[in-house]
Amino acid sequence: MITVTTRGSWDNIERYLKKTSSPEFFAILDKYGAQGVAALAAATPTDSGLTAQSWFYEIKRTKNYYSIRWKNSNIVDGIPIAVLIQYGHGTGTGGYVVARDYINPVVRPLFEQILNE
């Protein structure tokens, strides 16, 4: 038999759980998801503009956490073009396209704003 004994108040955890399941909490995640899409689109280096226009986000909720996932739907032959731009890549002719860190500078300030809010 397992016995659990507790002392004190559950007020803090109850407040937290109510807050994270409220519509206002999801509105905050939705707001930052949209801001992230706009910021990533603006920061994405453009050739045709397709990668910049292909950003979207999803809010994922599991039993243990919530997350905002920014994704890019511009995939060619199974290869995500946004990742190639971010990390660089070899070309079919033996050349190399240098990485351009455009994602991290955009999402860092968003993370800070989310934490503050």
Side-chain angles (χ1 to χ4, degrees):
M1 174 188 247
I2 298 174
T3 304
V4 176
T5 305
T6 182
R7 284 185 257 164
S9 169
W10 289 87
D11 290 345
N12 288 339
I13 191 69
E14 287 175 1
R15 249 185 316 217
Y16 172 77
L17 291 173
K18 284 178 185 174
K19 182 177 179 183
T20 59
S21 63
S22 72
E24 294 83 17
F25 182 76
F26 287 104
I28 292 169
L29 295 178
D30 192 48
K31 174 179 84 171
Y32 285 110
Q35 283 182 11
V37 166
L40 286 164
T44 302
T46 58
D47 184 12
S48 69
L50 182 58
T51 303
Q53 296 167 12
S54 299
W55 288 104
F56 65 99
Y57 72 97
E58 297 174 347
I59 297 173
K60 182 170 176 80
R61 177 183 180 184
T62 70
K63 185 172 85 171
N64 299 319
Y65 68 89
Y66 297 90
S67 66
I68 303 172
R69 296 178 177 195
W70 289 281
K71 297 182 174 189
N72 193 289
S73 61
N74 187 16
I75 298 173
V76 176
D77 296 330
I79 300 167
I81 303 304
V83 173
L84 291 181
I85 297 169
Q86 175 73 17
Y87 294 108
H89 58 88
T91 66
T93 58
Y96 181 75
V97 177
V98 177
R100 296 177 71 178
D101 185 12
Y102 68 101
I103 295 173
N104 293 315
V106 167
V107 295
R108 274 190 203 110
L110 284 172
F111 294 153
E112 303 262 336
Q113 291 173 13
I114 291 168
L115 286 172
N116 289 333
E117 188 161 339

